[in-house]
Amino acid sequence: MVAGIVAMAPGAYADHAEVTVIPAAGSGSPGCEETPEGCFIPMIATVDVGGKVIFSNTDSAAHTFTSGEATDSDSVGVVFDSSLVMAGNTYEWTPTEVGDQPYFCIVHPWMAGIITVQGIEEDDHGDEMMMPTGAASATGMLSDGTKVSIWTTAPTKGEMMEISVQFEGAEHVNHDMKVTQNGNTVLDDKAAHHHDGKGVHTTKALSTSDPVNVTITFQGYGVNDPKTGPIGEQVVFSNVVPEFGTIAMMILAVAIISIVAVTAKSRVVPRF
């Protein structure tokens, strides 16, 4: 089964234009902070810079949606503050800067969450691509000169990992992608087809925060058989762990010389 594959249009490499956050039912009383879901759902929400975050109070109690951390008084309400939002009402916030924004409820300070605001980068053709905050990137090359790049979120225990791939300047790209962690397969996408050479793959929830290995097996250009290009060549990105800024890459094909370009951004999610 091919999971997490989308045919990407220019300017929509990963679409998080709007996200809605709700309080967990009964979160006005302590206890939700001990659950996997947390007190705000989703506990870690992703949105594009310039997008919209909707705080919808579906609970029976009134809450605030206030930026900052309860333990850091200087951070409270600096970026946004909804004041008291009664049951059934909403509050909206539009982020203008990339980064991780913690927030909490002033009335019920055990309620805490994170808004991850992701930025926009342009590829060599000027097309905008959404790049997750905290992502790292690495680049390899097929023997025909096609540059293969990936961007990844950090591997985090209990969360799915997003891996974006681009075959620069190529159309109708076919490939397999396999992702392993500690010898266990967490993604095995076969026969992926990207009309414009760009796509996003998502692993299953990871069991640890250890690095992963990403293997891309090129399966040719074209829609119909016979397909063209260096079919069967593999690009392997090993020890993918963006929060340490390290992605090692090697090309598993005879007579292929590749140059690794590694870029590390800030860490993705603060740990509580």
Side-chain angles (χ1 to χ4, degrees):
M1 179 179 69
V2 178
I5 306 301
V6 293
M8 306 305 297
Y13 204 64
D15 185 13
H16 295 284
E18 182 177 299
V19 64
T20 298
V21 177
I22 64 172
S27 53
S29 298
C32 56
E33 72 277 12
E34 302 296 333
T35 66
E37 295 79 14
C39 298
F40 287 111
I41 301 173
M43 185 169 56
I44 301 172
T46 301
V47 66
D48 302 339
V49 64
K52 182 187 296 184
V53 180
I54 302 172
F55 298 99
S56 179
N57 189 0
T58 57
D59 196 19
S60 58
H63 298 286
T64 78
F65 301 92
T66 305
S67 64
E69 300 180 67
T71 56
D72 180 7
S73 59
D74 291 337
S75 69
V76 176
V78 172
V79 180
F80 61 83
D81 186 8
S82 68
S83 297
L84 202 61
V85 179
M86 305 306 292
N89 292 339
T90 62
Y91 170 80
E92 296 182 2
W93 170 61
T94 296
T96 58
E97 295 183 2
V98 172
D100 297 319
Q101 179 58 61
Y103 67 95
F104 70 108
C105 173
I106 291 179
V107 182
H108 313 105
W110 54 85
M111 298 176 63
I114 296 171
I115 303 295
T116 294
V117 183
Q118 66 180 11
I120 300 175
E121 290 199 349
E122 291 189 350
D123 63 18
D124 293 339
H125 303 283
D127 294 335
E128 290 183 345
M129 301 185 301
M130 303 310 300
M131 185 174 181
T133 299
S137 64
T139 301
M141 187 175 294
L142 296 174
S143 60
D144 66 354
T146 299
K147 186 167 70 174
V148 183
S149 300
I150 65 168
W151 294 262
T152 79
T153 54
T156 304
K157 181 179 180 179
E159 297 181 12
M160 295 181 291
M161 184 177 184
E162 185 177 282
I163 302 168
S164 302
V165 62
Q166 178 184 17
F167 294 78
E168 184 179 319
E171 296 182 351
H172 296 297
V173 175
N174 303 278
H175 72 88
D176 303 335
M177 178 181 288
K178 186 173 184 178
V179 182
T180 61
Q181 184 183 59
N182 297 325
N184 299 314
T185 299
V186 295
L187 175 68
D188 191 10
D189 283 353
K190 296 185 182 298
H193 177 87
H194 303 309
H195 173 77
D196 59 359
K198 305 172 188 175
V200 180
H201 302 247
T202 304
T203 71
K204 65 182 181 181
L206 303 180
S207 59
T208 75
S209 297
D210 294 336
V212 302
N213 296 325
V214 180
T215 300
I216 297 174
T217 304
F218 181 73
Q219 297 294 2
Y221 306 111
V223 177
N224 302 313
D225 293 329
K227 296 180 174 62
T228 62
I231 297 173
E233 285 187 0
Q234 291 186 324
V235 183
V236 177
F237 301 88
S238 59
N239 295 321
V240 177
V241 52
E243 54 194 343
F244 296 118
T246 302
I247 294 185
M249 186 279 300
M250 59 184 174
I251 306 297
L252 298 185
V254 177
I256 296 178
I257 299 176
S258 59
I259 300 175
V260 180
V262 178
T263 302
K265 303 290 184 181
S266 58
R267 63 190 175 89
V268 177
V269 177
R271 305 297 198 274
F272 289 106

